[in-house]
């Protein structure tokens, strides 16, 4: 849209520009798959993935500028505003394209600058308090650091992981929850180097809990399970961990069962396991990919604590499940708080619209169990870093600090509507509107062209 189209020289320039654009795009897109097999960081990976992210912002800008122009064209009666007809002077078209290019470049620059600031600066700290009816009073104030979607890979430096763990520890948390997508490339020297901060940060009183995400399944989940356990992280994939208050210096009294006060942490394997299991031709170590096993895991936990999880009114259960899905059935099975990630808050346009298939895109959600039961919650993190391109649009990297409160009430803190949550609907509406408007413009222009041709035939 930035180059004039009249004359053979301009057509050659436009064709060459298009070919170069698509060539760089596909070469950049290829890095998303190549970097998962690599064991080092090189300029091709760095430039390719970031170019791919820049393309996404360029496409978003061009789409919305063209949509705005198409709507303006409809309002003014479908004139030559968007695509000048053959009888429009070349000078007028050139002036139009210059104005359009200036608007596009300005918006692209704004998008790239805000994205670079968001993605390469420290993630924000999101703080909120969530009341859980089943939480023992002596555990009131228990803090969880949710650090989802780190995506250890070629664009994630060891220093960024050190910073993430440091910021979480500064909040005085009692546990850290890694709800999937810790890894994003095959295990090798580069991944092991990036993982070293986890070994340095091991603290028996502040357990780090992990369950799998779709990206570990992509690159070799068995190897990542080994790395995670070797680095002091507790694997609760289709398993559980009971954090007793006395183990970290809380709830030492004898009244009201304080000695046994605890919080249950349950982890489920990622939802992608249902479709990726045993797909040996597509994913490495696919024979070790497992499906989420809610009933079996909850039954095992019930046997361990001596009562059904769904009926335990003095023990809160926190569920780690990478994909923000199946909130209803998870809460009915006994989950008081589901911690998810995966969506990255939509990440970048137009992926926001794809998150409509989930129970949430970003932020805090709640529901009441059938029969007027306690309120259950789900929090969807936008992720500490994210996959592939280090680029974001209408989303933000975050470390989430969740303080659990005993008893009823309403959550507090950063609980408002997130931009990513709202933008998924905006994206869907704009895509549908764009198709309708452009279809209408093309129809009207074709009708006018036929009418003009018919009128010329009559004059002849």
């Amino acid at each position: 849209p930035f180059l004039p189209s009249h004359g053979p020289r301009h057509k050659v320039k436009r064709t060459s520009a298009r070919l170069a654009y698509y060539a760089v795009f596909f070469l950049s897109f290829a890095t998303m798959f190549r970097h998962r097999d690599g064991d080092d960081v090189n300029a091709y990976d760095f430039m390719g993935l970031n170019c791919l992210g820049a393309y996404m912002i360029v496409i978003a800008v061009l789409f919305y500028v063209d949509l705005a122009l198409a709507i303006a064209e409809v309002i003014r009666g479908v004139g030559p505003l968007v695509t000048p007809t053959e009888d429009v002077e070349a000078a007028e078209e050139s002036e139009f394209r210059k104005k359009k290019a200036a608007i596009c470049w300005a918006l692209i620059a704004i998008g790239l600058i805000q994205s670079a600031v968001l993605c390469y600066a420290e993630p924000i700290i999101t703080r909120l308090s969530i009341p859980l009816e089943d939480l023992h009073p002596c555990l009131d104030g228990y803090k969880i650091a949710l650090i989802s979607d780190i995506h250890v890979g070629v664009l994630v430096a060891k220093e960024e992981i050190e910073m993430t763990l440091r910021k979480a520890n500064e909040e005085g948390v009692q546990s850290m929850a890694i709800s999937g997508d810790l890894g994003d490339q095959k295990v090798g020297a580069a991944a092991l180097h990036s993982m070293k901060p986890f070994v340095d940060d091991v603290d028996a009183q502040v357990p780090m809990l992990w369950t799998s995400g779709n990206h570990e399944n992509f690159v070799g989940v068995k190897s990542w399970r080994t790395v995670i356990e070797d680095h002091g992280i507790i694997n609760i994939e289709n398993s559980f961990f009971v954090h007793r208050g006395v183990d970290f210096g809380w709830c030492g009294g004898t009244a009201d069962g304080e000695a046994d006060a605890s919080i249950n942490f349950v982890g489920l394997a990622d939802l992608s396991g249902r479709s990726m299991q045993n797909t040996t031709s597509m994913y490495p170590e696919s024979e070790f990919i497992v499906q989420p096993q809610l009933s079996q895991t909850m039954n095992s936990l019930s046997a361990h604590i001596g009562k059904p999880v769904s009926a335990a009114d003095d023990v809160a259960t926190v569920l780690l499940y990478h994909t923000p899905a199946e909130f209803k059935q998870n809460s009915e099975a006994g989950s008081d708080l589901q911690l998810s990630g995966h969506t990255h808050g939509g990440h970048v346009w137009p992926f926001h619209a794809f998150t409509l298939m989930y129970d949430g895109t970003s932020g805090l959600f709640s529901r009441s169990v059938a029969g007027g039961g306690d309120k259950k919650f789900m929090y969807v993190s936008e992720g500490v870093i994210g996959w592939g391109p280090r680029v974001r649009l209408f989303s933000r990297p975050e470390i989430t600090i969740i303080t659990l409160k005993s008893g009823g009430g309403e959550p507090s803190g950063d609980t408002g509507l997130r931009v990513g949550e709202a933008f998924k609907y905006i994206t869907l509406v704009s895509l549908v509107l764009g198709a309708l408007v452009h279809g209408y413009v093309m129809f009207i222009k074709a009708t006018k062209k036929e009418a003009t041709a018919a009128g010329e035939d009559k004059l002849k």
Side-chain angles (χ1 to χ4, degrees):
F2 305 139
L3 298 174
S5 59
H6 285 279
R9 290 178 56 194
H10 291 313
K11 289 183 178 179
V12 170
K13 288 181 179 180
R14 288 180 63 81
T15 301
S16 300
R18 284 196 183 101
L19 291 174
Y21 180 92
Y22 291 120
V24 176
F25 174 81
F26 286 114
L27 287 172
S28 300
F29 189 77
T31 60
M32 283 210 310
F33 303 95
R34 198 211 74 82
H35 86 276
R36 290 177 179 158
D37 296 324
D39 197 32
D40 60 342
V41 182
N42 58 47
Y44 174 61
D45 293 316
F46 182 82
M47 293 300 296
L49 287 170
N50 280 291
C51 279
L52 180 60
Y55 274 117
M56 293 176 177
I57 291 180
V58 169
I59 291 169
V61 168
L62 294 182
F63 172 82
Y64 280 104
V65 169
D66 277 341
L67 177 59
L69 291 174
I71 292 173
E73 188 175 16
V74 170
I75 293 173
R76 68 192 297 270
V78 192
L81 183 58
V82 176
T83 306
T85 53
E86 294 181 0
D87 60 341
V88 176
E89 294 293 335
E92 293 182 9
E93 180 192 0
S94 177
E95 184 65 24
F96 168 78
R97 288 183 176 274
K98 286 179 181 178
K99 291 179 180 179
K100 181 180 178 181
I103 294 171
C104 288
W105 283 121
L107 293 175
I108 290 169
I110 293 170
L112 291 174
I113 291 171
Q114 69 86 31
S115 181
V117 170
L118 280 176
C119 293
Y120 285 99
E122 293 187 355
I124 65 167
I125 300 291
T126 302
R127 298 179 182 88
L128 65 159
S129 296
I130 301 177
L132 301 182
E133 292 281 356
D134 294 340
L135 183 68
H136 195 285
C138 75
L139 292 172
D140 186 85
Y142 184 100
K143 289 184 179 180
I144 304 170
L146 175 57
I147 46 177
S148 180
D149 295 272
I150 293 178
H151 290 267
V152 171
V154 296
L155 294 187
V156 180
K158 177 171 73 74
E159 292 74 17
E160 291 181 287
I161 297 177
E162 289 175 343
M163 174 271 298
T164 299
L165 297 176
R166 171 179 54 79
K167 290 176 79 70
N169 282 316
E170 287 173 353
E171 297 291 324
V173 299
Q174 278 67 56
S175 62
M176 297 189 194
I178 306 171
S179 58
D181 281 4
L182 175 59
D184 198 18
Q185 71 177 99
K186 287 184 177 179
V187 172
L192 293 174
H193 175 72
S194 297
M195 287 291 293
K196 189 175 183 300
F198 284 100
V199 174
D200 300 336
D201 197 70
V202 169
D203 184 342
Q205 289 193 340
V206 183
M208 287 184 281
L209 311 171
W210 170 88
T211 193
S212 60
N214 57 308
H215 281 255
E216 285 96 355
N217 288 340
F218 288 153
V219 298
V221 68
K222 180 178 182 291
S223 299
W224 271 103
R225 288 187 192 119
T226 301
V227 169
I228 282 159
E229 292 165 3
D230 289 347
H231 284 73
I233 302 170
I234 301 170
N235 177 3
I236 60 170
E237 183 186 32
N238 287 337
S239 185
F240 61 87
F241 174 81
V242 178
H243 203 195
R244 299 171 65 235
V246 295
D247 293 340
F248 53 94
W250 290 20
C251 307
T254 58
D256 298 325
E258 282 196 13
D260 297 322
S262 60
I263 296 179
N264 301 326
F265 286 90
V266 174
L268 293 182
D270 185 56
L271 184 64
S272 62
R274 292 177 182 159
S275 59
M276 295 172 64
Q277 194 175 38
N278 296 321
T279 50
T280 53
S281 61
M282 296 183 63
Y283 305 105
E285 302 179 357
S286 64
E287 65 271 26
F288 298 101
I289 296 174
V290 295
Q291 301 182 33
Q293 299 172 353
L294 176 64
S295 298
Q296 297 93 318
T297 305
M298 287 299 192
N299 288 339
S300 297
L301 176 57
S302 297
H304 179 81
I305 64 176
K307 66 181 78 172
V309 177
S310 57
D313 57 2
D314 58 350
V315 183
T317 298
V318 178
L319 175 71
L320 274 62
Y321 192 28
H322 179 62
T323 304
E326 301 172 353
F327 179 31
K328 180 178 183 292
Q329 70 182 61
N330 292 338
S331 59
E332 289 177 349
S335 169
D336 295 298
L337 170 62
Q338 177 174 325
L339 301 179
S340 299
H342 183 60
T343 64
H344 309 166
H347 199 84
V348 66
W349 191 91
F351 295 148
H352 299 82
F354 298 145
T355 65
L356 284 162
M357 70 180 73
Y358 304 123
D359 293 337
T361 299
S362 172
L364 185 66
F365 304 85
S366 65
R367 66 178 302 273
S368 294
V369 176
D374 301 337
K375 185 175 286 189
K376 309 297 183 180
F377 296 92
M378 176 179 72
Y379 185 84
V380 184
S381 168
E382 298 193 9
V384 175
I385 296 176
W387 64 270
R390 292 294 289 271
V391 62
R392 285 181 182 250
L393 196 62
F394 304 113
S395 67
R396 58 186 188 182
E398 66 170 330
I399 300 169
T400 311
I401 306 299
I402 298 172
T403 302
L404 303 182
K405 307 299 290 184
S406 178
E410 295 297 324
S412 60
D414 191 357
T415 61
L417 179 67
R418 297 288 182 82
V419 174
E421 184 66 26
F423 204 73
K424 68 182 179 183
Y425 299 106
I426 296 173
T427 300
L428 179 64
V429 170
S430 62
L431 289 171
V432 173
L433 182 61
L436 293 175
V437 169
H438 282 287
Y440 175 75
V441 170
M442 292 174 64
F443 172 76
I444 294 299
K445 285 187 174 181
T447 302
K448 286 185 175 181
K449 186 175 182 181
E450 290 178 1
T452 302
E456 290 176 352
D457 290 340
K458 286 183 177 180
L459 289 175
K460 291 178 180 179

